[in-house]
Amino acid sequence: MKIPRLSSVAAVVLLTGLAITAAAQEKSSIAQTGNTISESPPMTAVEKETAKKIYFERCAGCHGVLRKGATGKNLEPHWTKTAKDGTKTEGGTLSLGQSRLEKIIGYGTDGGMVNFDDILTKEELSLMAKYIQNTPDVPPEYSFKDTMDSWKVIVPVKDRPTKQMNKYNLKNMFSVTLRDAGEVALIDGDTKEIRSIVKTGYAVHISRMSKSGRYVYVIGRDGRLSLIDLWMEKPGVVAEVKIGFDARSVDTSKFKGFEDKYAIAGAYWPPQYVIMDGDTLKPRKVVSTRGMTVDGEYHPEPRVASIVASEIKPEWVVNIKETGQILLVDYSDIENLKSTTIASAKFLHDGGFDASKRYFLVAANASNKIAAVDMKTGKLAALVDVAKIPHPGRGANFVHPQFGPVWATGHLGADVVTLISTPSEEAKFAKYKSFNWKVVQEVKHVPGNLFVKTHPKSTHLWADSAQNSDKELAESVAVWNLSDLSKPVKTINVFKDSGLVATKATRRAVHPEYSADGTEVWISLWGGKTDQSAIVVYDDKTLTLKKVITDPKMITPTGKFNVFNTQHDIY
Ligand code: DHE
């Protein structure tokens, strides 16, 4: 299956669908021996600089800055340069060489590598093929001082409102990622009006809410963290800090007594996390995540993937992608920081809580596993084998008619939604105990699923297929009735419903998100930077179209974060 690019202009486009299997990954880390490897193709300083920028923006997300491989394949020169004698590597896939690399980058592969022939010129394809046969550039480190120097308070705490100054129903506000614009749109969930468009980091990624729901934390792929105060008459950015050169995750302190006190953000490069004051983003601590993988090998680039705040202890779960180590970082005394290291499986990515919020379930995506951490005991509760490349987003929790409480994950690389039974302390669920941590059902879907979602008040499960190579499937979502998961109750072509003018561009239907009261589902129609995009709102009960929100400023909408649901981890 050739997986298409996510967005024609997205800055960092390679997604988890590019993953190779754990077995192949294993092979890719074995140094090639015995072959005589050719010299790296020469490049001028200008060519190198250009290629370095393209690599960082478009390739590093999956392959890693040091090219050790994670979701994408290892791209170190011993794999990419031609073997002079033509002998094969242990994977059988011979070191690649210029012409083969150009083809792979241009057209993609069946293994999941996306095609770049329509965004990179022929010259750029050739340049990138040369570049990855050369030794990787090691980007600079980013110190506590650098973080401190980047810190800006735009509106000091003393000048901020002491009560909500606007009349919006903040609970039902949505913070919407406008990915390629480097902005978020704050959209009123009641009126569907855009209340504010706020400049944030480059290729902005996710939003998270403070425990009180007053502050929105937005992280850009360039490591820029923006703090938005929803109490201002016109909500806007009140503080900013750059936590590294490349980042994906952020959360805040949610334990009783620490509400809104701290924020934490995780960097891909340098591999580290930063703890800050919650209301000003003043940096307090930078902690490196370099260290040993669960297999006992040193890794120089273990990137910080998802971060989530526990509500039962003053702790954050910090998932380290390449090492497969899950850290429980205790923020009760940040001067004397303690953390627990839990070994799980490599290539940790995204995840969410079970319904009781005692367990955090995270995808080890290129290992085809889900790891569950018990937040109460601070131990690994389970490591569950699942189908290829799980990608839960935050997952979906509901009570299965036959198996009791389950948590659902979709898959990029398989045509199922997996349901895993989760423990419950409620007496009425005791009868399901024997199913706990087992895959109890694989619901038939299509590959290329990025996000699944339901709501405690809903009777439906929604799943997108945004990464499917079929245009129609990429533009559609499937909905199941929770009482009968044998087949979708409806497959909705969101693009057709939107009434947007059809062009060659795919408008991917991505990331279902509920309104605060659980009655509506919002879905982004994600086109390229110059295509008209929209958010399409459905009535969750009748599964009928309610509203199409579109605006020239709505450029590449992707993730949508309802304030109340994000604040309380409702999914
Ligand atoms: Fe994401 C969550 C990493 C590409 C939309 N994404 C996450 C998380 C990580 C991650 C680690 C979990 C954050 C957390 O919970 O703290 N994403 C990555 C990548 O490394 C990757 C694969 C490639 C890259 O180079 O960035 C990538 N992600 C994308 C996209 O292209 C998506 C589809 C569109 C976009 O806006 O960038 C995308 N990722 C999202 C969304 C979430 C997310 C919407 C949050 C889901 C939620 O419901 O909370």
Side-chain angles (χ1 to χ4, degrees):
M1 180 183 58
K2 181 165 130 174
I3 298 178
R5 264 180 311 100
L6 287 172
S7 154
S8 57
V9 273
V12 187
V13 283
L14 301 181
L15 235 205
T16 357
L18 323 187
I20 55 171
T21 60
Q25 188 61 251
E26 274 301 302
K27 280 172 192 149
S28 72
S29 66
I30 299 167
Q32 186 191 351
T33 50
N35 290 344
T36 317
I37 305 288
S38 62
E39 294 301 311
S40 303
M43 296 179 81
T44 65
V46 175
E47 281 179 334
K48 247 193 151 177
E49 265 322 293
T50 312
K52 187 158 96 180
K53 186 163 182 291
I54 296 175
Y55 181 85
F56 194 67
E57 290 177 351
R58 303 190 185 277
C59 319
C62 287
H63 298 277
V65 170
L66 303 181
R67 301 197 225 135
K68 299 262 172 215
T71 309
K73 212 167 181 167
N74 180 298
L75 295 179
E76 289 176 291
H78 66 266
W79 284 102
T80 50
K81 281 194 294 187
T82 322
K84 272 185 186 160
D85 57 6
T87 49
K88 299 205 168 184
T89 62
E90 297 189 33
T93 53
L94 181 60
S95 314
L96 300 158
Q98 185 69 19
S99 68
R100 201 154 156 223
L101 285 171
E102 282 179 20
K103 285 199 185 83
I104 292 175
I105 304 169
Y107 304 128
T109 67
D110 286 346
M113 166 76 186
V114 295
N115 62 303
F116 282 89
D117 56 346
D118 58 347
I119 46 162
L120 296 182
T121 61
K122 263 193 159 168
E123 291 71 35
E124 284 171 332
L125 289 174
S126 159
L127 193 68
M128 294 315 291
K130 275 196 212 168
Y131 182 70
I132 57 174
Q133 294 174 75
N134 281 271
T135 307
D137 289 298
V138 181
E141 296 298 316
Y142 195 76
S143 67
F144 182 79
K145 182 175 179 306
D146 295 325
T147 315
M148 204 65 185
D149 290 348
S150 74
W151 173 50
K152 273 189 263 175
V153 176
I154 295 143
V155 184
V157 176
K158 65 174 178 36
D159 299 334
R160 292 184 203 160
T162 50
K163 60 179 185 1
Q164 188 181 332
M165 299 304 286
N166 54 59
K167 294 205 164 60
Y168 311 145
N169 172 12
L170 292 183
K171 265 179 150 184
N172 201 28
M173 189 70 86
F174 287 70
S175 177
V176 177
T177 297
L178 302 180
R179 177 183 165 144
D180 294 355
E183 293 171 343
V184 296
L186 297 172
I187 305 184
D188 189 320
D190 294 353
T191 63
K192 320 288 187 273
E193 280 168 66
I194 301 176
R195 295 296 184 194
S196 218
I197 292 201
V198 178
K199 203 84 211 131
T200 59
Y202 163 84
V204 55
H205 194 218
I206 64 162
S207 297
R208 295 291 186 235
M209 310 303 154
S210 69
K211 174 70 186 160
S212 69
R214 170 180 181 170
Y215 290 113
V216 186
Y217 298 81
V218 183
I219 188 85
R221 280 180 171 78
D222 56 355
R224 177 159 139 198
L225 177 62
S226 312
L227 177 65
I228 299 170
D229 184 357
L230 292 178
W231 279 10
M232 298 201 312
E233 199 177 337
K234 190 173 169 66
V237 175
V238 291
E240 259 176 22
V241 67
K242 188 169 164 68
I243 63 111
F245 294 112
D246 192 8
R248 299 291 182 283
S249 49
V250 60
D251 211 345
T252 70
S253 52
K254 289 191 173 171
F255 185 64
K256 206 168 181 313
F258 292 88
E259 295 93 338
D260 298 16
K261 191 169 165 59
Y262 297 124
I264 178 173
Y268 267 16
W269 189 270
Q272 60 196 27
Y273 61 86
V274 179
I275 299 175
M276 295 147 280
D277 285 338
D279 56 355
T280 61
L281 302 185
K282 180 179 180 184
R284 298 290 295 267
K285 196 140 221 159
V286 178
V287 183
S288 171
T289 53
R290 289 190 172 102
M292 307 304 271
T293 68
V294 287
D295 301 335
E297 278 168 22
Y298 176 75
H299 202 294
E301 191 190 356
R303 300 176 286 174
V304 179
S306 44
I307 300 182
V308 74
S310 166
E311 293 201 25
I312 59 177
K313 281 186 188 174
E315 281 180 348
W316 290 298
V317 186
V318 180
N319 296 287
I320 313 300
K321 188 186 285 290
E322 279 77 7
T323 57
Q325 311 281 10
I326 301 173
L327 309 181
L328 300 181
V329 177
D330 178 342
Y331 55 74
S332 59
D333 178 3
I334 58 168
E335 296 311 317
N336 303 286
L337 197 71
K338 287 197 279 294
S339 77
T340 307
T341 305
I342 302 170
S344 67
K346 287 196 287 194
F347 313 115
L348 296 172
H349 194 71
D350 51 351
F353 285 113
D354 75 314
S356 74
K357 301 213 181 95
R358 174 169 168 176
Y359 302 96
F360 182 74
L361 294 96
V362 56
N365 65 7
S367 300
N368 306 327
K369 289 185 196 301
I370 296 290
V373 177
D374 184 342
M375 305 299 302
K376 207 162 162 182
T377 61
K379 292 186 175 161
L380 187 73
L383 201 51
V384 185
D385 287 309
V386 293
K388 198 171 168 192
I389 321 172
H391 194 281
R394 313 203 92 189
N397 288 293
F398 61 94
V399 178
H400 189 282
Q402 207 182 332
F403 302 109
V406 292
W407 177 87
T409 178
H411 293 262
L412 268 159
D415 59 355
V416 291
V417 172
T418 300
L419 308 186
I420 297 172
S421 157
T422 52
S424 171
E425 280 162 26
E426 289 186 56
K428 64 178 178 186
F429 296 132
K431 60 182 175 210
Y432 301 115
K433 201 170 178 339
S434 63
F435 299 125
N436 290 172
W437 302 127
K438 293 192 175 124
V439 172
V440 290
Q441 188 174 353
E442 287 184 329
V443 175
K444 182 90 181 78
H445 185 35
V446 293
N449 171 216
L450 283 174
F451 301 104
V452 289
K453 201 59 71 77
T454 187
H455 186 278
K457 291 193 184 134
S458 172
T459 56
H460 289 131
L461 173 70
W462 294 67
D464 62 26
S465 37
Q467 278 297 96
N468 198 289
S469 50
D470 179 274
K471 187 172 190 283
E472 198 157 326
L473 285 173
E475 293 177 340
S476 303
V477 294
V479 188
W480 291 262
N481 203 319
L482 295 178
S483 60
D484 175 11
L485 295 146
S486 58
K487 58 176 190 319
V489 65
K490 196 167 179 184
T491 299
I492 302 174
N493 188 318
V494 184
F495 175 69
K496 280 200 181 130
D497 275 359
S498 73
L500 298 188
V501 179
T503 60
K504 261 181 26 201
T506 304
R507 256 59 70 99
R508 297 174 194 284
V510 70
H511 198 245
E513 172 75 336
Y514 275 85
S515 56
D517 63 3
T519 60
E520 290 173 354
V521 176
W522 292 36
I523 296 170
S524 303
L525 271 184
W526 171 22
K529 206 169 174 178
T530 50
D531 304 316
Q532 191 185 7
S533 290
I535 288 172
V536 184
V537 182
Y538 288 92
D539 182 294
D540 182 56
K541 209 173 217 133
T542 59
L543 306 182
T544 52
L545 177 70
K546 232 176 141 175
K547 176 93 188 167
V548 178
I549 310 170
T550 184
D551 187 285
K553 291 197 215 91
M554 188 150 346
I555 296 160
T556 59
T558 54
K560 299 159 298 304
F561 304 89
N562 174 272
V563 168
F564 188 77
N565 295 336
T566 311
Q567 192 186 342
H568 298 287
D569 287 288
I570 297 170
Y571 32 81

